[in-house]
C-alpha cells in the first residue's frame, strides 16, 4: 500500500533558492516526464490460450450464477403479479359492493327527502370520510329504521374493507415494481457476462481456436477417465455388497432377508421414478442451452432437471439453490441414476446422473443438452449429490 507520508526535500532551502541537490532532482524529474510523454504507450501483453480458457470458463460460470438469480427473481415476480391481480380483483368486487350500498343509502335519502325526514344528514353521510365518526357526532342512527341501519352497517363495513384492500394493492404494486427492476438488473448482468465471453473468443485466431479445442479435448478425456474410475469403484462395491448379502443369507437362512424388504421397496420406487426422469432427459439431448428456459425447445441447467423430474411426477423448485434442498443428500460414492449433481460453491449448476460417472445436463450458452462426465470441470467443483424422491 502506498505511503501517505509527507515528502521532505533532502536539500536545504535559503531565502527561496533551491540547493543544488534539489535543483538536480527537479531537472531529473523533468527529463523523466519528457521521456514518458514521448514514449509510445505499451500495449498489454496478449493473454495465453490457457488464460483465455480460464477467463471464458469463469465468465460462463458467473453467467450461470446470474441466470439462477434471474430465475429466482422471475419466480418471485410471477408470484407477486398473481397477488396483485388477486388484490385488484378483490378491490373491484368490494368497490362494486360499496357502490351498491351507497345506492341503497341514496334511495333512503331520497325517500326521507320526499317525506320531509332528515335527508340532508343521510346525504352528508355518503360524502363523509369516516361514516362511523359522522354517526357518532350526529346521532343519525337513532333516527333510522332497522332496515336502514343494516344498510348503513353494510356501507361502513364495505368502505373499511375496500380502503384496506386498496392500501394492500398499492403496496403490492410497489413491491412488484421493485422486483421487476431487480429482474431487469439480473437479466442485464447475464447478458454482460455472456457478451464478455463471446468477445474474448472472437479475438482468437484459427490457430488459437485449435489450441483451445485441444485443451478442451484433454479435459474431456481426463473427465471420462475419472468417470470410468467411479463406475469401477461402484461396481466393485456392489459386487462386495451382493457377496456379503449372499453370505448372510446362507448363514441365517430366509430370516436374514426380512430386514431388507423395506429398503428394497424404497429402492424400487425410486428406480421407477428415476427411469422416467432419465427417459425424458435423453429425449432432450441436442436441444440448445438458453438461459432462463424451461423447455420444451430449450433449457438452462435447472430448467432441464425440473422438467425431467416433473415427467416422473416429482415437482422440483425452479432454481439450483432450491433444488439442492429437496430430497436426501448422499455421498458421491453412493450416487445412483436419477440423482442430481450440483456444482461449484455457489451451487450454480446441476446435472442429472445417468450412471457410469456420466450425467445429462444443459452445459452453458452456445452448447446443447448433452451427456457428459460429472467430472467435466474436475472433481473439486462437485458440490453435492441429492436424491430428490
Amino acid at each position: 500500500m502506498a505511503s501517505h507520508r509527507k515528502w521532505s526535500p533532502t536539500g536545504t532551502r535559503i531565502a527561496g533558492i533551491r540547493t543544488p541537490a534539489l535543483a538536480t532532482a527537479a531537472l531529473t524529474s523533468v527529463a523523466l516526464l519528457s521521456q514518458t510523454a514521448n514514449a509510445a504507450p505499451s500495449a498489454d501483453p496478449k493473454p495465453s490460450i490457457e488464460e483465455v480458457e480460464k477467463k471464458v470458463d469463469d465468465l460462463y460460470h458467473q453467467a450461470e450464477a446470474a441466470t439462477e438469480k434471474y430465475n429466482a427473481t422471475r419466480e418471485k415476480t410471477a408470484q407477486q403479479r398473481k397477488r396483485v391481480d388477486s388484490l385488484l380483483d378483490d378491490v373491484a368486487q368490494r368497490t362494486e359492493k360499496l357502490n351498491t350500498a351507497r345506492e341503497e343509502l341514496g334511495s333512503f335519502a331520497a325517500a326521507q327527502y320526499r317525506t320531509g325526514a332528515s335527508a340532508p344528514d343521510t346525504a352528508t353521510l355518503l360524502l363523509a370520510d369516516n361514516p362511523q365518526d359522522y354517526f357518532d357526532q350526529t346521532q343519525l342512527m337513532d333516527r333510522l329504521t332497522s332496515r336502514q341501519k343494516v344498510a348503513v352497517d353494510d356501507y361502513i363495513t364495505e368502505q373499511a374493507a375496500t380502503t384496506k384492500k386498496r392500501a394492500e394493492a398499492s403496496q403490492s404494486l410497489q413491491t412488484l415494481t421493485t422486483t421487476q427492476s431487480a429482474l431487469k438488473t439480473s437479466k442485464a448482468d447475464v447478458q454482460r457476462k455472456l457478451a464478455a465471453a463471446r468477445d474474448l473468443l472472437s479475438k482468437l485466431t484459427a490457430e488459437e481456436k485449435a489450441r483451445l479445442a485441444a485443451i478442451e479435448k484433454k479435459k474431456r478425456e481426463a473427465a471420462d477417465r475419472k468417470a470410468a474410475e467411479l463406475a469401477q469403484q461402484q461396481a466393485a462395491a456392489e459386487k462386495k455388497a451382493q457377496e456379503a448379502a449372499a453370505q448372510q443369507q446362507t448363514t441365517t437362512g430366509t430370516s436374514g432377508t426380512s430386514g431388507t424388504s423395506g429398503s428394497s421397496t424404497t429402492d424400487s420406487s425410486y428406480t421407477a421414478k428415476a427411469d422416467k426422469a432419465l427417459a425424458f432427459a435423453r429425449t432432450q439431448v441436442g436441444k440448445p442451452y438458453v438461459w432462463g428456459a424451461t423447455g420444451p425447445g430449450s433449457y438452462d441447467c435447472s430448467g432441464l432437471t425440473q422438467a425431467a423430474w416433473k415427467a416422473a411426477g416429482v415437482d422440483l423448485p425452479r432454481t439450483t439453490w432450491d433444488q439442492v434442498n429437496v430430497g436426501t443428500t448422499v455421498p458421491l460414492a453412493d450416487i445412483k441414476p436419477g440423482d442430481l449433481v450440483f456444482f461449484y460453491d455457489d451451487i450454480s449448476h446441476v446435472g442429472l446422473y445417468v450412471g457410469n460417472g456420466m450425467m445429462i445436463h444443459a452445459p452453458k450458452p452456445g452448447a446443447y443438452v448433452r451427456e457428459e462426465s460429472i467430472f467435466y470441470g474436475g472433481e473439486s467443483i462437485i458440490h453435492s449429490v441429492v436424491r430428490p424422491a
Side-chain angles (χ1 to χ4, degrees), residues 183-358:
L183 182 65
K184 186 177 180 180
T185 299
S186 296
K187 182 176 182 179
D189 192 25
V190 176
Q191 291 172 330
R192 280 195 300 270
K193 299 295 191 302
L194 296 180
R198 287 193 295 266
D199 182 60
L200 278 174
L201 292 172
S202 68
K203 294 177 181 178
L204 297 180
T205 65
E207 181 183 355
E208 289 171 332
K209 289 178 180 178
R211 288 172 56 196
L212 183 60
I215 292 174
E216 291 292 336
K217 182 181 178 182
K218 285 185 178 180
K219 287 174 61 176
R220 286 196 302 271
E221 290 172 348
D224 290 343
R225 286 195 297 270
K226 193 71 178 176
E229 290 175 9
L230 175 62
Q232 291 172 358
Q233 291 168 2
Q234 287 191 310
E238 179 67 21
K239 182 179 179 181
K240 186 175 181 180
Q242 290 174 350
E243 290 174 349
Q247 180 64 34
Q248 182 181 16
Q249 187 173 1
T250 300
T251 303
T252 60
T254 55
S255 61
T257 62
S258 60
T260 62
S261 60
S263 176
S264 298
T265 301
T266 302
D267 289 346
S268 297
S269 174
Y270 179 75
T271 299
K273 293 177 181 178
D275 286 346
K276 291 180 181 179
L278 291 171
F280 176 90
R282 288 189 177 99
T283 62
Q284 311 312 307
V285 171
K287 293 184 179 180
Y289 175 104
V290 175
W291 64 274
T294 56
S298 58
Y299 298 89
D300 63 17
C301 65
S302 55
L304 176 63
T305 51
Q306 182 189 50
W309 269 104
K310 186 174 183 179
V314 177
D315 290 327
L316 295 181
R318 176 63 181 93
T319 70
T320 54
W321 304 325
D322 291 328
Q323 289 181 10
V324 75
N325 295 317
V326 176
T328 305
T329 301
V330 297
L332 180 61
D334 296 336
I335 191 171
K336 291 183 177 180
D339 290 351
L340 302 177
V341 190
F342 294 91
F343 299 87
Y344 304 107
D345 291 339
D346 59 3
I347 319 175
S348 58
H349 188 67
V350 62
L352 184 69
Y353 189 66
V354 299
N356 295 322
M358 307 294 285

Side-chain angles (χ1 to χ4, degrees), residues 9 11-19 22:
T12 58
R13 187 180 181 91
I14 302 174
I17 302 175
R18 286 194 183 94
T19 64
L22 187 55

Side-chain angles (χ1 to χ4, degrees), residues 37-99:
N38 294 330
S42 59
D44 292 334
K46 188 174 183 179
S48 67
I49 293 301
E50 289 76 14
E51 291 172 333
V52 170
E53 186 222 14
K54 185 180 185 308
K55 182 63 176 176
V56 169
D57 284 348
D58 287 344
L59 285 168
Y60 279 138
H61 173 204
Q62 293 171 28
E64 275 202 299
T67 295
E68 291 305 312
K69 184 177 180 181
Y70 169 84
N71 291 338
T73 307
R74 188 169 65 174
E75 288 286 293
K76 188 176 180 181
T77 300
Q79 293 169 3
Q80 290 175 345
R81 185 176 287 112
K82 287 181 181 179
R83 173 166 172 76
V84 167
D85 290 343
S86 176
L87 285 170
L88 290 177
D89 287 343
D90 196 1
V91 167
Q93 292 172 7
R94 290 185 179 279
T95 300
E96 186 176 352
K97 288 182 180 179
L98 186 62
N99 290 336

Side-chain angles (χ1 to χ4, degrees), residues 106-177:
S107 67
F108 289 146
Q112 288 172 338
Y113 182 77
R114 287 193 300 271
T115 59
S118 53
D121 287 338
T122 309
T124 304
L125 161 67
L126 298 178
L127 302 176
D129 292 333
N130 192 325
Q132 188 61 60
D133 288 347
Y134 179 77
F135 284 129
D136 293 341
Q137 293 171 7
T138 64
Q139 298 179 340
L140 178 62
M141 290 294 285
D142 294 338
R143 301 198 297 275
L144 297 178
T145 66
S146 59
R147 182 182 174 189
Q148 289 173 325
K149 288 179 181 179
V150 170
V152 169
D153 286 340
D154 289 344
Y155 178 79
I156 293 173
T157 300
E158 286 303 327
Q159 187 189 55
T162 302
T163 299
K164 181 180 179 182
K165 287 297 178 181
R166 281 174 178 164
E168 289 181 15
S170 177
Q171 180 60 48
S172 293
L173 278 171
Q174 292 178 7
T175 303
L176 176 60
T177 300

